Amino acid sequence: QHDPNIKHNRTSIVHLFEWRWADIAAECERFLGPNGFGGVQISPPNEHIVLDSPWRPWWQRYQPIGYNLCSRSGNESELRDMITRCNNVGVNIYADAVINHMCRTGSGEGNHSSCGSWFSAPKKDFPSVPFTQSDFNDDKCTTASVKIENYSDANQVRDCRLVGLFDLALEKEYVRDKVADYMNKLIDMGVAGFRVDACKHMWPGDLSAVYGRLHSLNTDWFPVGSRPFIVQEVIDLGVEPITSSEYLQLGRVTEFKYGAKLGAIFRKWNGEKLVYSKNWGEGWGFMPNGNALVFVDNHDNQRGHGAGGAAIATFWDSRIYKMAVGYMLAHPYGVTRVMSSFRWNRHVVDRKDQNDWQGPPSHDDGSTKSVPINADHTCGDGWVCEHRWRQITNMVIFRNVVNGQPHSNWWDNQGNQVAFGRGNRGFIVFNNDDWELDVTLNTGMPGGTYCDVISGQKEGSGCTAKQIHVDGDGRAHFKISNSDEDPFVAIHADSML
Ligand code: ARE
Ligand code: CA
């Protein structure tokens, strides 16, 4: 299903990558609910392998050992408590469901798993589910290595091992049942939907059979008969036989072209300019609006995994990043997901980050640190908390305020200065050129004085930021220096003074 089931006219999801359940619960109550976030994508809640070499990489959570609910983020009761408390403040939870595969072949045998369940990779035995040898696809895969070797062959992409991970035989009723039982347990606990990992590697028919087994959402928090939101991770940059379109009727799909193109525009690479984004969205060959989940960066491509390469904007380039996220949140296309990251010792040699594996901030025993909140509302201990950056939080609120309004009153200088509105509810102006912007524009907004939500914000009846005066005809004068800390300005109905 394509509807994120978001409440209270909210619009955006934040991915709290690798956060502990206890911290997410607190964040829902103290920050996300009060600031209009609609939901949280959480890291995979199921039991996963625990690796020593490299030491506790973040990606160990993409190697399931079973469907018990203890993970690096916490145990089952902490998970349940978090889902309950977030739902109680109107913030939805979406679980990352890793259902294409289990751990990799060379994982050995023992209890090196997040709940301590025994498993054996050489025997393909995962007794906590249980899955045994016959629940995997190896007989169907025809490559010499039993791995995916060639993405232009759809059969091997679906039936062989993604980077050596044991590939589940999802055409078996038994495997479908076990996967659906796991997802249903989460639904009954109160999740609003799923980000389904590695969908390119599963047949749409198999996914349809799994989704068809899912319960409706928990009626403590959702209307009777609400169906789980589904976001399918399919990386389609337009160059492979498997396309997002095969998955569109099953649920939303990640639009990876979006972040790759937006990053190139704000970096001014490949001759890209902001003016070309006048027809942003379907006009750029993206999937239909109602099917897309969009984001500037994700947990893979912010560190060189996945797709998009160096064009992807991330918190490491914060000035460009804030503009790109601001643009995404102002624009009507897609359901928007904001990334919230941890810092790692990035060390790029020959365009490859040697430390792209490093896990979240952790104690010496490998357990994940909690997220301390500083007096200025930022986060400490290596947690970046992009979602708490004033410019980003305020644009999440902007998107809620303009929800349902059309893209309107476009203006550009034929270069990297553009502006657009959202009906009579909001207006945003960008200056990504190397000179000043100084122009009077038709905003479409009712006359009055507005407080810019980028350089500061409305506080009580005052304004800590630039003020914008809109006259009775909707016209306003904007002046943005190319050397401003953030060279963009945004106003909306609720920022009127
Ligand atoms: C790790 C090691 C590997 C090792 C493997 C098994 O890095 O070297 O072989 O373990 O030991 C994440 C990490 C992987 C990690 C894996 C398991 O990113 O590095 O492997 O966890 O621990 C393809 C898929 C796409 C996938 C990306 C990363 O199509 O689905 O690769 N993204 C999801 C998640 C990842 C996760 C997995 C899937 C696995 O978001 O975080 O992997 O659960 C082109 C193609 C794309 C392809 C891309 C990269 O663009 O079009 O389809 O994406 O190249 O290969
Ligand atoms: Ca598969």
Side-chain angles (χ1 to χ4, degrees), residues 398-449:
F398 178 107
R399 190 175 191 78
N400 294 343
V401 172
V402 304
N403 193 16
Q405 297 288 320
H407 188 260
S408 53
N409 293 305
W410 175 268
W411 169 84
D412 64 68
N413 72 341
Q414 301 183 355
N416 290 292
Q417 300 182 348
V418 304
F420 63 91
R422 295 292 303 276
N424 59 4
R425 301 277 295 168
F427 196 73
I428 191 163
V429 188
F430 292 89
N431 178 12
N432 200 30
D433 270 328
D434 299 327
W435 55 87
E436 188 176 67
L437 173 150
D438 187 349
V439 67
T440 297
L441 299 175
N442 181 17
T443 66
M445 307 269 294
T449 300

Side-chain angles (χ1 to χ4, degrees), residues 155 179 459:
N155 287 305
V179 166
E459 265 164 31

